[in-house]
């Protein structure tokens, strides 16, 4: 570690962790869906809802392009440029009412976010290791969830002005950009990139020498996570329309409710290790059942207080992400771990992007295309996922209790 990074250790941690506050903020403007549906009445509700999820599509693309960009301009410059793109794409919709322009700007926002998403973790690995790194990774996950909750809360306050005003929330990219630029040492970037290139080359060489197929459990886990993200986004894309359909009072509390749910989700993420020790591989079954109860509750929610309670129950299912990622890391061949995690991240974003269209397609097929019915569809898929994970957990337990002994 360089002398500079030792001297400014605390500032460096703060600077790197600061960029994680913006990782999950694409859905912050979900509180404006009702207003946007009214403003763009000549477009389908699904296409308007997709304005929330379009960044997930471009993130998927630019996560894959990250290593190429870093190779040419370095990690520090990649983060700075990507934050500038996120700023332009984030606040841009506040200044235009053109639907196509907003779609393009949301794509740009996702492109910027996708470029630095892998760096939110890898930069910590460049400077820290061992228990300190593990601790920072836990904090990083919590910072990401807290940042998302804070942005949603602020957007919820701004939407009281009008639906476009909620996009002002992305001006918060500016302090993050300033903090990172000051905290991340210029003279370390070249060294770190050089070190990572050596590691990357060794990894690629290892992959070429001993390519192995991914275990079935890993492939299943990634695909189930894809289905999960296709469903869970309904909490953000359909909530505003659902509480309007149910004619609940105090609908302006939506942003605060989603923020509270996000904060509780962050707390559970920090406690994931302890929760897993209790439920073991039945952890996803428990959290998915809780989430299913939350979704079914949403179909008959009487007030915004209970909406908040049900939103918290649904958000707890976010623990499925670290469970699947840990399964990947435990079971994927050493030479394929990074590639597999990247694939999972891409499919997660693809699932989030297609969510409005996926739920609209299912709803149309069963003759239930209203927002409240979307929650009923989500309930079905959460139960289906819980059953699949239950079967996998029982099979895993049988293998542990009755291992196959090879002669």
């Amino acid at each position: 570690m360089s002398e500079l990074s030792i001297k400014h250790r605390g500032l460096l941690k703060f600077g790197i962790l600061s960029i994680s506050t913006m990782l999950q903020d694409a859905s912050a403007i979900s509180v404006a869906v009702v207003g946007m549906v009214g403003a763009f009445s000549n477009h389908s509700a699904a296409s308007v809802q997709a304005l929330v999820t379009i960044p997930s599509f471009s993130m998927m693309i630019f996560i894959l392009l990250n290593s190429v960009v870093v190779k040419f301009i370095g990690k520090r410059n990649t983060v700075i440029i990507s934050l500038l793109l996120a700023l332009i794409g984030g606040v841009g919709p506040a200044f235009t009412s053109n639907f196509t322009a907003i779609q393009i700007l949301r794509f740009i926002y996702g492109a910027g976010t996708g470029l630095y998403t892998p760096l939110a973790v890898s930069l910590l690995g460049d400077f820290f290791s061992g228990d300190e790194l593990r601790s920072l990774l836990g904090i990083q996950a919590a910072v990401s969830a807290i940042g998302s909750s804070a942005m949603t809360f602020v957007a919820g306050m701004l939407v009281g002005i009008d639906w476009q005003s909620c996009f002002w929330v992305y001006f918060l990219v500016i302090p993050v950009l300033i903090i990172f630029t000051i905290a991340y040492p210029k003279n370390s970037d070249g060294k770190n990139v050089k070190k990572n290139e050596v590691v990357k080359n060794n990894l690629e060489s290892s992959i070429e020498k001993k390519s192995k197929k991914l275990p079935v459990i890993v492939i299943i886990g990634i695909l189930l996570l894809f289905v999960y993200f296709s469903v869970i986004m309904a909490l953000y894309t359909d909530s505003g329309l659902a509480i309007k359909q149910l004619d609940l009072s105090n609908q302006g509390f939506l942003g605060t409710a989603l923020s509270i749910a996000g904060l509780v989700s962050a707390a559970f993420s920090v406690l994931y290790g302890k929760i897993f020790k209790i439920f073991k591989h039945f952890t996803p079954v428990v959290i998915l059942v809780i989430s299913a109860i939350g979704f079914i509750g949403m179909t008959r929610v009487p007030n915004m207080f209970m909406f908040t309670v049900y939103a918290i129950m649904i958000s707890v299912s976010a623990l499925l992400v670290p469970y699947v990622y840990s399964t990947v890391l435990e079971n994927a061949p050493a030479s394929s771990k990074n590639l597999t995690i990247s694939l999972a991240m891409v499919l997660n974003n693809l699932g989030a992007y297609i969510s409005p269209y996926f739920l609209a397609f299912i709803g149309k097929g069963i003759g239930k295309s209203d927002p409240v019915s979307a929650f009923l569809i989500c309930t079905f898929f959460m139960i289906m996922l819980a059953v699949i994970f239950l079967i996998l957990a029982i099979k895993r337990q049988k293998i542990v209790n009755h291992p196959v002994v090879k002669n």
Side-chain angles (χ1 to χ4, degrees), residues 225 229 320-330 341 344-345 348:
L225 206 55
F229 273 95
L320 186 65
V321 178
Y323 174 83
V324 172
Y325 280 4
S326 63
T327 299
V328 168
L329 293 173
E330 289 172 1
I341 289 294
M345 292 176 68
N348 292 352

Side-chain angles (χ1 to χ4, degrees), residues 54-169:
I54 282 174
S56 296
F57 177 73
S58 48
M59 280 179 68
M60 174 182 67
I61 298 172
F62 283 85
I63 283 173
L64 295 176
L65 293 176
N66 168 269
S67 59
V68 176
V69 176
V70 167
K71 181 178 180 180
F72 285 100
I73 66 175
K75 292 187 175 184
R76 186 175 189 273
N77 289 335
T78 298
V79 172
I80 292 173
I81 291 173
S82 60
L83 285 172
L84 287 172
L85 287 174
L87 175 62
I88 294 169
V91 302
F95 304 100
T96 178
S97 297
N98 182 278
F99 189 79
T100 302
I102 294 175
Q103 286 179 313
I104 294 171
L105 287 165
R106 291 295 285 168
F107 183 92
I108 292 173
Y109 175 80
T113 306
L115 269 181
Y116 73 79
T117 291
L119 297 176
V121 173
S122 67
L123 286 178
L124 292 172
D126 287 346
F127 293 95
F128 309 100
S129 61
D131 290 339
E132 186 176 24
L133 175 60
R134 282 187 285 273
S135 175
L136 286 171
L137 288 175
I139 295 172
Q140 185 269 334
V143 167
S144 180
I146 292 171
S148 176
S149 298
M151 294 280 280
T152 302
F153 176 78
V154 175
M157 300 292 287
L158 292 172
V159 79
I161 302 173
D162 57 52
W163 68 266
Q164 282 186 287
S165 297
C166 73
F167 288 94
W168 295 351
V169 72

